[in-house]
Amino acid sequence: MKNNNRNKKHILSLLLLLILIGVTFFLIFKKTSIASVRLALSHINPIYVVMGIACMFIYVSCEGECLRIICNSLGEKISFPKSFVYACSDVYFSAITPSATGGQPAMIYYMSKDNIPLSRSSLSVLLTLIEYMAVLVILGILSFFFHFSFIMHSTLFIIMFCFGLVMSALVIVGSLAAMFSKTLIQRFGRWCIRVLAKIRIIKDTESANASLDKQLAEYKKGAEYIKTHPIISIRVFIISFIQRTSLLTVTYLVYRGLGLNDTSMISVLAMQSVVMLSVTSLPLPGAVGASEFMFTQAFGNFFPRDLVMPAMLLTRGINFYFNTLFAGAVSMCNHISLMRKRRKNNSSKNNAR
C-alpha cells in the first residue's frame, strides 16, 4: 500500500507537470511561430550549448559534493558517485512537485535504502538546503540593487520578488529551527507519525515514536557537531555558491551563443538571479509557466525582440528540461537497482528457509 500511494503521487505530479508544460507551450507558440524559433536556434553556436549542458553537470555535482562533505563529517562515509545519485533524486523530484517540496524527502528515502540513519541523512539534507537557499537570497538581494531601476518600474516584479524573498527566508529560518530546536523537530516528527498512522502506513505508533526519540538524540549530536565546526558550513556555502552560479551562467551562454555581446556577464547573471528568486517558491512544479513568463519580461531589453522566445526556450531547455530528464533517468536507474537488490535479498531469504 505504501508503494502504491507513493506511485500514485508520483504519477499525479508528472501529470500536473505535463499539463503545465502543454499549456505553457501552447501559449508560447500561439504568439510565436515554430518556424521563427527553429530559424533562430539554427544559428546558435553549438559550443555554447555544450558549455550550458556542462554547467548542469556542475550544478548537480556540487549538490552531491555538499551532501558528501556533510555526511562524511558526521561519520557516514559515502562516495561521490553515490552522493551524485542522491542529488539527482533531489533535482528530479523537486522539478515535478509544487514548490520543489519532493526533493528533500526523496533524498532521505534513497539514503535510508543505503542504510544511512535518518538522523544523519535529514541533517545533511537540511544543511544543504539552508546553504543553497542562503546563496539564493544573498545573490537575489544583491542583484535586486544591481537592476533596481528596472525592477522598481514593474509592479509585477516587485510583488514576485518580495514574495520569493519572504518565502525563501522562511524556509531558511524554519530549517535552522528544525536543526537546532529539539522540541520543534520532535513535534514535527510526531505529527508525521500521526498522519502516516491515519493512512495506515504506520501501524505501531508507540514503536515509531520510540524510534523517533532515539533518532532525535543522534540528530541533536550531529547538529551540535555542525554548530561547533563552522568550517563545514563555510565549505558547503562556497560549493553552493558555485552550484547556483553554474545554473545562472546558462542564460549568459545562450546569450553569447546567439551572437550577442553587448551586455556584461554580471548583468545577465544578476537579472537571472532575480527571476529565479521570484519564482522559486511558487506552488507550481518546476515553476513551469511562471519561469517562462518572467524570463520574457526580464530579458526583453537584453535580447532582440525576435530572439527573446528562442533564448527563453533554449535556456529553459537546458537548465530545466534537460536537467530534469537527466536527473530522472539517473534516479530511475537507481530505483530499479534498489528493487532488484531487494528482490534478490527476498529470494535468498526464501531459499534459506
Side-chain angles (χ1 to χ4, degrees):
M1 181 177 178
K2 186 175 180 180
N3 288 330
N4 287 337
N5 287 336
R6 188 182 298 118
N7 290 335
K8 286 179 181 178
K9 288 181 179 178
H10 190 184
I11 292 169
L12 287 173
S13 295
L14 280 174
L15 283 174
L16 178 58
L17 177 63
L18 290 173
I19 291 170
L20 283 172
I21 291 173
V23 172
T24 299
F25 275 75
F26 172 78
L27 294 174
I28 289 171
F29 290 113
K30 190 177 180 181
K31 296 181 178 179
T32 307
S33 70
I34 296 176
S36 63
V37 172
R38 188 187 297 121
L39 179 63
L41 294 180
S42 67
H43 293 98
I44 194 165
N45 188 332
I47 293 176
Y48 286 98
V49 176
V50 174
M51 290 171 67
I53 292 172
C55 280
M56 299 323 301
F57 282 103
I58 294 171
Y59 175 82
V60 180
S61 298
C62 283
E63 181 169 350
E65 182 61 10
C66 288
L67 279 173
R68 193 188 68 81
I69 288 172
I70 301 169
C71 283
N72 287 355
S73 69
L74 295 173
E76 291 295 329
K77 302 297 180 183
I78 60 173
S79 65
F80 175 75
K82 183 59 70 174
S83 66
F84 184 85
V85 171
Y86 298 148
C88 283
S89 66
D90 178 36
V91 170
Y92 173 67
F93 285 97
S94 291
I96 67 171
T97 51
S99 302
T101 52
Q104 288 76 37
M107 277 198 291
I108 292 171
Y109 171 78
Y110 286 114
M111 291 170 83
S112 70
K113 294 301 178 182
D114 289 326
N115 299 316
I116 298 176
L118 177 63
S119 58
R120 293 176 180 175
S121 63
S122 57
L123 184 59
S124 301
V125 169
L126 264 179
L127 184 56
T128 301
L129 174 65
I130 290 168
E131 301 283 10
Y132 182 82
M133 295 302 290
V135 171
L136 173 66
V137 169
I138 291 170
L139 287 178
I141 292 173
L142 293 174
S143 300
F144 174 82
F145 289 108
F146 193 92
H147 289 293
F148 182 79
S149 59
F150 172 81
I151 295 170
M152 292 307 292
H153 280 87
S154 173
T155 304
L156 176 64
F157 257 92
I158 296 171
I159 294 172
M160 295 286 285
F161 180 83
C162 290
F163 174 79
L165 180 63
V166 171
M167 294 304 294
S168 298
L170 287 174
V171 169
I172 295 172
V173 172
S175 299
L176 284 170
M179 275 186 67
F180 299 114
S181 172
K182 184 178 179 180
T183 302
L184 186 61
I185 196 68
Q186 187 177 49
R187 286 177 180 174
F188 177 72
R190 294 194 186 285
W191 175 80
C192 288
I193 289 171
R194 286 197 300 271
V195 171
L196 293 173
K198 285 181 179 179
I199 58 177
R200 301 183 184 278
I201 291 177
I202 289 179
K203 295 180 179 179
D204 189 349
T205 55
E206 288 186 11
S207 176
N209 283 321
S211 178
L212 172 66
D213 291 337
K214 184 179 178 181
Q215 290 289 342
L216 281 174
E218 291 296 318
Y219 183 95
K220 192 65 177 175
K221 289 179 184 177
E224 288 297 325
Y225 180 84
I226 295 295
K227 191 192 298 184
T228 55
H229 293 76
I231 189 65
I232 297 170
S233 296
I234 294 170
R235 288 176 65 191
V236 173
F237 182 85
I238 293 171
I239 295 172
S240 295
F241 179 83
I242 296 170
Q243 179 189 13
R244 172 58 63 177
T245 303
S246 67
L247 185 64
L248 300 174
T249 302
V250 173
T251 308
Y252 181 71
L253 291 172
V254 170
Y255 177 80
R256 291 299 308 276
L258 289 168
L260 304 172
N261 195 26
D262 296 329
T263 307
S264 69
M265 181 177 181
I266 293 176
S267 183
V268 174
L269 265 60
M271 183 57 79
Q272 184 63 62
S273 183
V274 169
V275 170
M276 286 191 171
L277 179 58
S278 300
V279 303
T280 191
S281 298
L282 292 176
L284 298 169
V288 171
S291 290
E292 285 79 1
F293 174 75
M294 291 295 285
F295 185 101
T296 58
Q297 297 299 303
F299 288 99
N301 294 327
F302 288 73
F303 294 90
R305 195 177 210 180
D306 60 326
L307 292 181
V308 175
M309 282 298 183
M312 180 274 292
L313 289 170
L314 186 55
T315 300
R316 286 286 285 169
I318 295 172
N319 68 13
F320 178 72
Y321 296 104
F322 167 79
N323 206 29
T324 301
L325 288 172
F326 171 76
V330 173
S331 298
M332 184 182 294
C333 291
N334 180 53
H335 192 76
I336 292 171
S337 175
L338 289 172
M339 289 177 65
R340 286 177 177 173
K341 189 185 295 185
R342 185 173 64 183
R343 286 172 187 166
K344 186 177 180 181
N345 290 337
N346 290 338
S347 178
S348 298
K349 289 179 182 178
N350 291 333
N351 290 334
R353 292 174 185 174

